[in-house]
Amino acid sequence: MRRRILAANWKMNHGPTATTGFMRDFAAGYTERPDRDVVLFPPAVSIAAARAGSRRPDGTPLAGVALGVQNIHWEDRGAFTGAISGPMARDAGADYVLVGHSERRQLFGETDEQCAAKCAAAERAGLTPVLCLGETLAQRERDETAWVVVGQLRAGLSALTQQELTTSVIAYEPVWAIGTGRTATPADASEIHRILRSALRDLIGDRAEDVSILYGGSATAANAADLLRAPDVDGLLVGGASLTAASWLSICAA
Ligand code: 13P
């Protein structure tokens, strides 16, 4: 059975000091729910602070809360100044890694080929890749959404084994909805998620039912419950509304 996942992508926000403060407030208000996993993606320099703060007042780890990094290099080590690798992220306490976020694709020129190599690197390191994909507004207006996202899905997952495909996570994030306050309707999200699951079925058959497909793009505490009720929407990948503990706690409880 696929898991419900609520994921917070902090992007380039919250260094170690801010992360420590967030985690204090989050841990104080967090109630574990057996039906969902919470994953935080702080900047890599804040992973240690997030890990240290992911504890109850009595010191026991918060159950159901995992950490991830926002990017890795496709090589495991070497002369790649400024980059971090899958094994390093794993060593620092990450269980997940975002791959191919639209900001990486658009601002850093990341290609489908690099996404495929990063997914493979994630698997080598024991990280679960969260492959992000989504169409731009221009592509949507040209009616190319299904073609674009299925292409990104097939290309990004192309280096994984069937077993690895089954345990990876997909995040549909329409570029026009990211940070714009313009959310896809639950019905729109559901339609694209259904198309993505059908493309997964071509790759892994019935085990496509086990893959969690998250929605991202202006998800907030106000619309989270409606989005999560939509068929085939298995969770959320949240940017701006995950930056304060109060807002993130209400999304986690949606
Ligand atoms: P916003 O929630 O700020 O729109 O960002 C979504 C996103 O890009 C998450 O990865």
Side-chain angles (χ1 to χ4, degrees), residues 50-80:
R51 190 177 173 190
S54 190
R55 300 192 169 275
R56 304 188 176 287
D58 68 2
T60 53
L62 292 182
V65 179
L67 300 174
V69 289
Q70 299 171 14
N71 181 38
I72 55 170
H73 197 276
W74 55 85
E75 295 289 347
D76 294 344
R77 67 189 60 76
F80 301 100

Side-chain angles (χ1 to χ4, degrees), residues 16-214:
T17 305
T19 297
T20 299
F22 178 101
M23 293 306 295
R24 190 185 47 235
D25 296 344
F26 175 69
Y30 172 72
T31 309
E32 181 191 348
R33 298 258 307 246
D35 64 336
R36 58 196 58 192
D37 296 330
V38 170
V39 187
L40 300 171
F41 291 90
V45 292
S46 300
I47 281 271
R51 190 177 173 190
S54 190
R55 300 192 169 275
R56 304 188 176 287
D58 68 2
T60 53
L62 292 182
V65 179
L67 300 174
V69 289
Q70 299 171 14
N71 181 38
I72 55 170
H73 197 276
W74 55 85
E75 295 289 347
D76 294 344
R77 67 189 60 76
F80 301 100
T81 300
I84 63 164
S85 72
M88 290 173 191
R90 186 89 185 109
D91 187 24
D95 287 312
Y96 291 81
V97 57
L98 299 180
V99 176
H101 190 280
S102 65
E103 287 150 17
R104 302 259 2 138
R105 293 179 192 258
Q106 294 200 318
L107 304 173
F108 300 93
E110 209 157 286
T111 64
D112 279 336
E113 291 70 27
Q114 290 171 350
C115 292
K118 288 180 181 200
C119 283
E123 294 287 354
R124 280 199 305 281
L127 297 167
T128 299
V130 178
L131 178 67
C132 304
L133 35 84
E135 81 287 6
T136 63
L137 185 58
Q139 288 166 332
R140 185 176 190 82
E141 283 170 348
R142 288 197 301 266
D143 238 349
E144 294 171 355
T145 300
W147 180 80
V148 168
V149 298
V150 169
Q152 289 173 333
L153 180 90
R154 298 184 74 98
L157 298 177
S158 60
L160 300 188
T161 65
Q162 297 246 317
Q163 176 57 32
E164 289 167 348
L165 282 173
T166 309
T167 55
S168 51
V169 175
I170 307 301
Y172 169 57
E173 300 203 305
V175 178
W176 48 268
I178 294 179
T180 58
R182 201 178 146 193
T183 321
T185 64
D188 281 344
S190 207
E191 184 195 345
I192 305 304
H193 286 217
R194 190 181 50 74
I195 290 168
L196 290 168
R197 197 172 310 281
S198 146
L200 284 168
R201 202 168 288 116
D202 292 342
L203 299 172
I204 50 173
D206 288 345
R207 299 192 69 188
E209 294 302 320
D210 297 335
V211 178
S212 296
I213 306 181
L214 318 184

